[in-house]
């Protein structure tokens, strides 16, 4: 394991029913393949050594004896290998025949897990051949040349790095209370399921949903391997399902009905799972009574670590299939939040500062949707443009055109004279374009909006977004303040997708051209004068870094509590050659420094709706001392 990632695999070997020697050789091929890929834990199907569909042949002593010899062959084969293998086979114990999963590593049997729930319907008559773990008294066995105990007691297997995994077998996960419930409550990070599930119309969709839900409910990694081609097709067909989930999310899936053996390899992020668990009070409460025996696995010398799972460089952005649905849901959340606030305050007017940039555009669109939903006249939306020393024609024209076509009330109030007078009052040189020069403009604009709201019995709708809050890229008591911040839960990288979605809606056809140009406009506070050609000179991303990097850092820092070293590793993998090592290090250091130093701005945020799983509201999502030290994080960044 490295960076909290453990490499696991689900294997579907070729099989011949009751041909143990053939089956073992096929299993060995996949073990060798997995070892070569650095797999640490490998799961095979149910009764893989004999084949699942042997039926009454399971009563034959020859088959049972050969199964034990097959296990001995596997132990000998793995003697110098590191990979932990979980393989299914029949085992005789205490006068019972049990359907078991055997955990082996480096030539040793680490433990045996008998199946608990046996199907006894349709073509499955397992109770005809096997007993349940519930029928088993603790028994000592002499198996494959060594003494080992077997019982129904829950077992957890623990790797040298402390990763715990448990095993259940096929029908177990279909039970009302699967064994994996207790195993995960007792500390299992990962569940392995040795399975044999036949194919029926609609069954795979249900199975996929079932395993995904079990993984999500138990906040675990789930490795599912089911038998495939070669099993008897006398009455049913086995499709060879190989699936690996992490907290309900599918990481990899094999090809069903393949006639070739399969090995599906990926990595499960154990640190991510553990963070989810220790922040989930329901999970914490549920695990109080859970117990399991711990079986230690052998320490291994891993091959050079290679990242196998993809990392999305834009974790806040939904995929194409979900884009429209997600955008509509986000806008509905924003709209519902603002609507409730207006109804509660009996307010029929809002004031919004319109700059022609992304944030104010989204806020305005939310106001329009809210007024339409409440049946209020759009003229109750007062859009205010406040040109200053850095306002360009492009942003100004986009702002005014958008307000005109949306049929809202418009006001334009230049801040130039008021700010110039303010500079005289405090003795500031207007030619000195420092933080005072910039923040004075932001505070003047906020004063105008607040006073207009008082004058018009209106509410100031804030425009600041989640990314700006994380970086503290807001003027304290300037654009930092409002009466309701509709964008507070939305990162910068997502805002352009929301605006593009709205631009494509039929009811916003008249605004489409303007909205698309706003998306293409460089992000800027426009607080310093434009260049000689009248173009935006002050570009935010040149100053604080690319927002796609900061949003990536924010997601993993806030959502999973990852340390800079891991975030850096994930970022390098996610962005590939787009950003070199030094660039990622530079902006990650900037992120950590600014995130800590700017907490005081987040400690007094106005209300605003939570949209996704990451939020910075001091009332329920992120509570941090404003004077917390960033030393640990900065030092780790510097050491990268």
């Amino acid at each position: 394991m490295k960076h909290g990632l453990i490499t696991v695999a689900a294997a579907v070997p070729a099989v011949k029913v009751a041909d143990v020697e053939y089956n073992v050789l096929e299993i060995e091929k996949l073990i060798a393949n997995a070892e070569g890929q650095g797999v640490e834990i490998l799961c095979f199907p149910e009764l893989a050594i004999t084949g699942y569909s042997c039926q009454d042949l399971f009563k034959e002593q020859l088959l049972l004896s050969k199964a034990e010899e097959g296990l001995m062959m596997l132990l000998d084969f793995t003697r110098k290998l590191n990979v932990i293998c979980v393989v299914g086979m029949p085992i005789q114990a205490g006068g019972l025949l049990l359907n078991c999963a055997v955990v082996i590593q480096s030539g040793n049997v680490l433990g045996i897990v008998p199946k608990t729930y046996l199907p006894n319907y349709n073509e499955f008559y397992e109770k005809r051949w096997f007993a349940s773990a519930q029928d088993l008294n603790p028994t000592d066995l002499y198996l494959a040349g060594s003494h080992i105990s077997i019982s129904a007691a829950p077992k957890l297997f623990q790797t040298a790095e402390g990763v715990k995994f448990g095993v259940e077998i096929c029908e177990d996960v279909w039970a009302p209370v699967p064994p994996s419930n207790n195993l995960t409550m007792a500390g299992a990070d990962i569940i392995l399921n040795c399975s044999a599930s036949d194919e029926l119309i609609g069954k795979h969709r249900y199975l996929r949903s079932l395993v995904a839900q079990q993984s999500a409910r138990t906040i675990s990694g789930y490795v599912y391997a089911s038998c495939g081609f070669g099993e008897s097709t006398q009455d049913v067909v086995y499709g060879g399902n190989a699936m690996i989930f992490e907290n309900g999310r599918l990481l990899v899936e094999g090809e069903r009905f393949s006639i070739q053996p399969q090995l599906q390899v990926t990595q499960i992020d154990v640190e991510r799972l553990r963070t989810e668990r220790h922040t989930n009070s329901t999970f914490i409460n549920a695990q109080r009574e859970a117990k399991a025996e711990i079986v230690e696995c052998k320490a291994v010398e891993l091959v050079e670590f290679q990242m196998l799972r993809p990392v999305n460089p834009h974790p806040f952005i939904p995929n194409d299939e979900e884009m429209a649905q997600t955008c509509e849901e986000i806008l509905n959340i924003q709209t519902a939040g603002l609507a409730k606030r207006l109804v509660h305050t009996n307010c029929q007017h809002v004031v919004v500062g319109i700059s022609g940039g992304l944030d104010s555009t989204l806020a305005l669109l939310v106001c329009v949707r809210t007024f339409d939903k409440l049946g209020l006249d759009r003229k109750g939306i007062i859009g205010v443009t406040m040109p200053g020393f850095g306002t360009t024609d492009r942003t100004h024209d986009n702002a005014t055109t958008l307000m005109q076509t949306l049929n809202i009330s418009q006001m334009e109030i230049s801040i130039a004279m008021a700010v110039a007078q303010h500079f005289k009052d405090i003795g500031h040189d207007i030619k000195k374009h420092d933080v005072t020069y910039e923040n004075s403009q932001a505070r003047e604009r906020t004063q105008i909006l607040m006073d207009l709201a008082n004058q018009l019995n209106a509410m100031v709708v804030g425009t600041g977004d989640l990314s700006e809050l994380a970086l503290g890229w807001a003027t304290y008591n300037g654009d930092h303040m409002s009466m309701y911040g509709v964008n507070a839960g939305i990162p910068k990288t997502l805002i352009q997708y929301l605006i593009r979605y709205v631009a494509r809606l039929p009811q916003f056809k008249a605004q489409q051209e303007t909205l698309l140009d706003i998306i293409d406009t460089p992000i800027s506070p426009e607080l310093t004068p434009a260049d000689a050609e009248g173009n935006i000179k002050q570009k935010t991303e040149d100053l604080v870094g690319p927002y796609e990097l900061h949003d990536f850092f924010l997601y993993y820092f806030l959502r999973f509590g990852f340390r800079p070293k891991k975030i850096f590793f994930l970022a390098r993998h996610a962005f590939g050659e787009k950003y070199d090592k030094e660039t990622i290090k530079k902006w990650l250091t900037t992120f950590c420094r600014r995130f800590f130093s700017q907490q005081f701005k987040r400690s007094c945020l106005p209300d605003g709706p939570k949209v996704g799983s990451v939020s910075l509201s001091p009332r329920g999502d992120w509570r941090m001392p404003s004077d917390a030290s960033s030393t640990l994080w900065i030092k780790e960044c510097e050491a990268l």
Side-chain angles (χ1 to χ4, degrees):
M1 183 172 72
K2 192 170 185 180
H3 299 292
L5 297 160
I6 186 167
T7 306
V8 299
V12 182
V15 64
K16 288 184 179 180
V17 178
D19 190 340
V20 171
E21 185 174 347
Y22 174 87
N23 296 340
V24 168
L25 289 174
E26 291 299 313
I27 290 170
E28 288 176 353
K29 290 177 185 177
L30 291 175
I31 291 175
N33 189 345
E35 176 81 6
Q37 294 188 53
V39 172
E40 297 164 75
I41 306 175
L42 173 60
C43 182
F44 284 95
E46 185 176 7
L47 297 168
I49 287 179
T50 59
Y52 176 76
S53 50
C54 293
Q55 299 187 46
D56 281 356
L57 292 177
F58 285 123
K59 297 179 180 181
E60 296 294 320
Q61 283 299 319
L62 178 60
L63 181 64
L64 299 178
S65 177
K66 288 296 180 182
E68 185 173 346
E69 290 179 19
L71 177 60
M72 293 178 71
M73 292 170 60
L74 288 177
L75 293 176
D76 186 59
F77 180 79
T78 61
R79 204 164 300 282
K80 294 184 179 180
L81 304 181
N82 291 321
V83 60
I84 300 167
C85 302
V86 183
V87 62
M89 66 175 289
I91 290 179
Q92 299 176 88
L96 305 177
L97 181 62
L98 300 165
N99 179 346
C100 296
V102 183
V103 183
I104 64 175
Q105 182 190 27
S106 303
N108 297 304
V109 175
L110 301 180
I112 302 172
V113 178
K115 187 172 183 176
T116 302
Y117 298 104
L118 306 178
N120 201 42
Y121 51 85
N122 298 333
E123 68 285 351
F124 298 107
Y125 301 103
E126 283 192 35
K127 288 186 178 180
R128 178 182 175 94
W129 312 297
F130 299 105
S132 164
Q134 296 169 325
D135 302 318
L136 176 66
N137 292 319
T139 303
D140 289 330
L141 294 178
Y142 184 73
L143 180 69
S146 60
H147 292 278
I148 189 165
S149 62
I150 180 172
S151 72
K155 284 186 176 63
L156 289 183
F157 299 86
Q158 180 170 272
T159 70
E161 293 83 9
V163 177
K164 295 185 179 73
F165 67 90
V167 181
E168 62 186 3
I169 304 174
C170 196
E171 186 78 7
D172 289 346
V173 74
W174 298 75
V177 183
S180 52
N181 283 16
N182 179 73
L183 292 170
T184 51
M185 293 302 104
D189 303 295
I190 299 169
I191 297 297
L192 308 180
N193 188 318
C194 303
S195 184
S197 184
D198 66 331
E199 298 294 337
L200 299 171
I201 295 173
K203 183 178 180 181
H204 177 70
R205 183 169 58 252
Y206 183 86
L207 170 65
R208 203 166 180 261
S209 173
L210 176 70
V211 177
Q213 283 296 316
Q214 187 63 3
S215 170
R217 184 177 296 109
T218 58
I219 314 179
S220 65
Y222 203 103
V223 183
Y224 182 94
S226 182
C227 58
F229 188 77
E231 290 287 354
S232 172
T233 58
Q234 181 176 346
D235 292 305
V236 293
V237 170
Y238 298 89
N241 284 295
M243 302 179 288
I244 302 177
F245 291 84
E246 179 184 279
N247 195 15
R249 182 169 65 97
L250 181 66
L251 299 181
V252 293
E253 183 175 21
E255 177 189 351
R256 293 166 64 214
F257 304 110
S258 172
I259 63 174
Q260 300 299 324
Q262 296 190 65
L263 185 69
Q264 296 300 318
V265 182
T266 190
Q267 284 148 344
I268 291 174
D269 194 332
V270 175
E271 287 183 351
R272 182 170 179 160
L273 293 171
R274 290 174 178 173
T275 299
E276 292 277 20
R277 286 180 176 183
H278 71 61
T279 56
N280 186 315
S281 59
T282 302
F283 187 94
I284 293 169
N285 293 338
Q287 67 181 5
R288 290 174 181 169
E289 303 300 323
K291 296 178 181 178
E293 173 190 346
I294 303 293
V295 179
E296 298 289 344
C297 301
K298 172 180 170 287
V300 299
E301 188 174 327
L302 296 178
V303 296
E304 183 179 353
F305 181 84
Q306 290 185 338
M307 186 68 164
L308 300 177
R309 57 187 275 167
V311 179
N312 184 357
H314 305 112
F316 289 110
I317 309 303
N319 59 43
D320 292 341
E321 293 77 18
E322 299 173 346
M323 182 65 73
Q325 181 181 353
T326 302
C327 287
E328 184 64 27
E329 189 167 9
I330 291 170
L331 290 164
N332 283 337
I333 291 172
Q334 293 178 280
T335 300
L338 181 58
K340 165 63 178 176
R341 189 53 56 100
L342 292 176
V343 170
H344 176 72
T345 56
N346 196 28
C347 182
Q348 298 187 2
H349 296 82
V350 295
V351 176
V352 192
I354 309 298
S355 67
L358 290 171
D359 294 348
S360 64
T361 297
L362 178 59
L364 175 56
L365 293 173
V366 170
C367 290
V368 168
R369 286 172 59 106
T370 304
F371 270 60
D372 291 350
K373 189 178 186 70
L374 293 175
L376 299 175
D377 188 346
R378 287 190 185 181
K379 290 297 183 180
I381 303 171
I382 298 96
V384 187
T385 52
M386 295 168 283
F389 304 129
T391 303
T392 60
D393 290 342
R394 181 179 183 179
T395 56
H396 177 267
D397 292 346
N398 280 337
T400 55
T401 301
L402 186 62
M403 289 188 287
Q404 288 168 3
T405 57
L406 287 172
N407 196 32
I408 68 168
S409 298
Q410 290 180 249
M411 295 183 71
E412 180 161 312
I413 302 173
S414 173
I415 65 168
M417 289 181 62
V419 174
Q421 178 61 49
H422 179 62
F423 288 157
K424 289 181 180 179
D425 293 342
I426 65 173
H428 184 77
D429 184 357
I430 197 171
K431 296 179 181 178
K432 187 178 181 181
H433 299 168
D434 58 2
V435 67
T436 304
Y437 179 88
E438 295 183 13
N439 286 351
S440 295
Q441 297 175 70
R443 292 195 180 99
E444 177 61 26
R445 285 175 171 140
T446 300
Q447 175 179 259
I448 289 170
L449 296 175
M450 290 288 183
D451 291 346
L452 280 174
N454 293 157
Q455 188 180 62
L456 301 171
N457 192 27
M459 176 185 298
V460 176
V461 174
T463 62
D465 63 55
L466 181 66
S467 305
E468 292 179 343
L469 293 174
L471 294 169
W473 193 251
T475 298
Y476 192 81
N477 207 33
D479 53 314
H480 157 259
M481 194 49 59
S482 68
M483 297 171 183
Y484 196 70
V486 293
N487 294 342
I490 304 176
K492 186 76 77 176
T493 50
L494 181 55
I495 288 179
Q496 62 175 303
Y497 288 90
L498 290 166
I499 295 174
R500 184 174 284 110
Y501 167 75
V502 172
R504 292 170 177 166
L505 295 176
Q507 60 267 40
F508 289 95
K509 185 177 181 179
Q511 293 82 36
Q512 185 179 81
E513 183 178 348
T514 303
L515 292 174
L516 294 178
D517 191 61
I518 289 171
I519 292 170
D520 291 336
T521 303
I523 299 170
S524 172
E526 293 192 318
L527 295 174
T528 58
D531 63 20
E533 288 74 37
N535 297 317
I536 293 173
K537 183 178 180 181
Q538 185 187 28
K539 297 179 180 179
T540 300
E541 292 182 294
D542 291 344
L543 301 171
V544 296
Y547 272 115
E548 66 175 350
L549 279 179
H550 285 304
D551 284 355
F552 184 90
F553 303 152
L554 173 65
Y555 179 80
Y556 286 104
F557 178 86
L558 217 59
R559 183 74 174 82
F560 302 109
F562 287 167
R563 59 194 298 169
K565 184 177 180 180
K566 182 163 183 176
I567 296 174
F568 176 77
F569 166 77
L570 293 174
R572 291 202 66 192
H573 185 73
F575 290 99
E577 297 180 358
K578 185 171 184 179
Y579 300 104
D580 60 27
K581 175 182 176 181
E582 292 306 315
T583 299
I584 295 175
K585 176 181 176 179
K586 172 186 174 182
W587 296 123
L588 178 56
T589 306
T590 297
F591 172 83
C592 291
R593 177 177 53 79
R594 290 192 66 96
F595 188 87
F596 276 81
S597 67
Q598 300 297 300
Q599 172 63 26
F600 73 98
K601 295 179 182 177
R602 299 188 291 268
S603 294
C604 55
L605 281 179
D607 292 351
K610 181 176 181 177
V611 170
S613 59
V614 172
S615 176
L616 285 167
S617 169
R619 288 167 291 277
D621 290 285
W622 184 252
R623 300 176 187 180
M624 168 183 165
S626 297
D627 50 6
S629 173
S630 63
T631 301
L632 293 177
W633 287 263
I634 297 300
K635 281 186 176 180
E636 183 156 299
C637 286
E638 292 172 347
L640 293 173

